[in-house]
Amino acid sequence: MIKLEHVTKVYKNDHTALADANVDIERGEFVFLVGPSGSGKSTFIRLLNRQETATSGKVWVAGKEIGEMPNWKVPQLRRNIGYIFQDYKLLPNKTVEENVAFALEAIGRPRQNIKTQVPAILELVGLAHKAKNRPDELSGGEQQRVSIARAFVNRPLILLADEPTGNLDPATTVGIMKLLDRINRTGTTVVMATHDRGIVDVMRRRVIELESGRIVRDQARGVYE
Amino acid sequence: MAFRIDYVARETGQNLRRNWLLALATIVVVAVSLAALGGVFLIKSGIERAFAKWSDDVSFIVYMNASAPQDQIDSVGRQLEDNPQVASVDYFDRTESYELFKRIFEKDDPEIIDTIKPEDLPTSFRVRPRNSDADVVQELAKTFEPKPGVYSVEFPSEQIRQIQRGAERATTVLLGVSVVLIAASSVLIFIAIQTAVFSRRREIEVMRLVGATNWYIRTPFLIEGLVQGLFGALIAGSGLGVLTALVVGDEGWLNDTILEKFAWTTANLTGTLLWLGLIGVGVGVVSSFVATAWYLKD
């Protein structure tokens, strides 16, 4: 599903964010990216949906080499990849259901389609009763659930999450992880960057550890350290 | 990918509402600029009509009798061409004279056009002498007056030429000013759209990450620019319509004044309005396209 071959990313200021990374992620895997700040976790994730392009090496996603992909094909790629932000990035002037519907409207889905899919996904994330609320009326955990609903409403093959629990307390984090686990069980590949030792140790999934842009550990059913 | 019209309409409406003051200011500036440009167009058409007989290349006109036989016409033509002081001669046959006649009279006396047929009109020679000095031209022109078949010889007095030159310079300056105003309005539309894009940057970021195409993201902004340009053009057009009614209508201010000959026609107005619409829409769409291109670079 995802494959990195000798991928190096050097930013314009000569900072090497990722150095000769080789990774193969199967369909339906749940992968934690761990490592200190600045170790290259975010760059790793941003390479997978073409927010960044590799300086050298090849990145394969869903059977396609995306580094050479023309810009006009990138939207099609991204429709297969859900993205979850640490700071949720909800639209403050839209309600919960409008925020989720927005992701489908933005790719031109017909209204009838949106009408059935949005309530279903809100049910899945446990927020059907808050559909009419605005983001500022929700707790941090609830806001992240909306963000997950928005990322998953189009049923992508891959879900990328950049520190999704970074702003949440431990109890709320457990709820979010249960939700991501549930989504993973539907066959969706999940790649999640995190600092949260507790959840990595509890979930015992594949762990890729980065240090100064290098992969120093790739362990099935791993722990944080 | 199907475009959803309700989506585009809603997003465009939201943009315009959110920055309504800037949108309003933009529309007003577009309207003023286009009105100025349209005004220049109309004044120019008036001047062109007033001086339709005298283009730059013609210094005098030899009118033949409507009944002059062909051999007389040919003879005058030959003499003009053979004259060493004549630089060039254009012969206007009856059809060409009729076209010119229609242009001159269609506003003031449209009825007269129906009563006149091409064969009623005299043919004429438009002559450009080598020497453009008024006295020399006058002297040369006079020698053709007594030729057989010649009805009359007309040449513009120096005053008319001066008025014509002055009017042309004035419209050129006004045209320059309006072009500057149009440039200013496109900058304003550019800023208005950039502001709209900036205030929606979070939406745009989300849209890009869920796989919206650049065109899908861009369309509401293009429509917003188009609406601003179009509304500006509509206001400018209405203004010019009112101005036309006031100035050159049957009871217009120019009627029975010395400037009456400079009045433009409703046909001039229609043409000008079409141009204003095109320019307004063009300026709006192009400016917003450039404004969004800055944010949508991949």
Side-chain angles (χ1 to χ4, degrees), chain A residues 44-212:
Chain A
F44 189 109
I45 284 191
R46 292 169 64 85
L47 282 168
L48 299 183
N49 65 351
R50 258 284 289 262
Q51 290 186 76
E52 305 283 356
T53 45
T55 312
S56 65
K58 288 194 186 315
V59 180
W60 298 78
V61 175
K64 293 193 179 74
E65 206 283 288
I66 65 170
E68 302 286 309
M69 185 179 266
N71 286 345
W72 64 270
K73 278 189 176 171
V74 171
Q76 204 55 49
L77 166 79
R78 289 183 180 158
R79 286 173 200 192
N80 287 317
I81 304 175
Y83 194 87
I84 303 166
F85 305 85
Q86 179 173 2
D87 58 352
Y88 328 128
K89 291 230 180 341
L90 300 178
L91 307 177
N93 55 339
K94 291 190 193 293
T95 64
V96 165
E97 61 182 2
E98 286 167 348
N99 262 285
V100 176
F102 185 71
L104 294 174
E105 283 175 337
I107 55 172
R109 285 293 161 83
R111 206 188 319 207
Q112 205 47 46
N113 205 322
I114 295 174
K115 263 188 189 161
T116 55
Q117 277 180 282
V118 172
I121 197 81
L122 287 179
E123 195 69 46
L124 177 82
V125 301
L127 280 177
H129 61 295
K130 301 239 167 158
K132 305 283 182 201
N133 289 74
R134 287 184 191 274
D136 58 4
E137 297 163 341
L138 305 178
S139 71
E142 287 169 332
Q143 289 189 44
Q144 192 56 292
R145 283 168 188 270
V146 179
S147 169
I148 293 171
R150 182 177 64 189
F152 192 59
V153 67
N154 194 30
R155 307 285 161 164
L157 301 169
I158 299 166
L159 205 55
L160 305 176
D162 196 357
E163 311 256 5
T165 59
N167 292 354
L168 302 175
D169 61 61
T172 315
T173 295
V174 170
I176 293 294
M177 290 317 298
K178 278 187 177 156
L179 180 56
L180 289 177
D181 184 49
R182 228 172 120 188
I183 287 174
N184 175 238
R185 283 171 202 279
T186 65
T188 307
T189 310
V190 179
V191 180
M192 170 172 161
T194 186
H195 274 125
D196 197 320
R197 173 183 301 266
I199 52 176
V200 176
D201 290 348
V202 168
M203 291 197 42
R204 298 301 296 262
R205 299 298 183 94
R206 180 171 170 186
V207 174
I208 296 175
E209 185 177 349
L210 289 156
E211 214 177 277
S212 306

Side-chain angles (χ1 to χ4, degrees), chain B residues 205-225:
Chain B
E205 186 185 359
V206 171
M207 288 177 87
R208 298 189 66 168
L209 285 177
V210 298
T213 59
N214 277 352
W215 275 110
Y216 207 81
I217 299 173
R218 177 177 275 158
T219 301
F221 297 107
L222 292 187
I223 307 273
E224 186 184 346

Side-chain angles (χ1 to χ4, degrees), chain B residues 231-262:
Chain B
F231 268 90
L234 284 177
I235 294 171
S238 321
L240 291 178
V242 171
L243 183 76
T244 302
L246 284 178
V247 173
V248 305
D250 290 337
E251 302 289 313
W253 298 335
L254 290 186
N255 268 359
D256 301 324
T257 71
I258 192 170
L259 292 173
E260 192 175 357
K261 280 200 183 321
F262 290 91

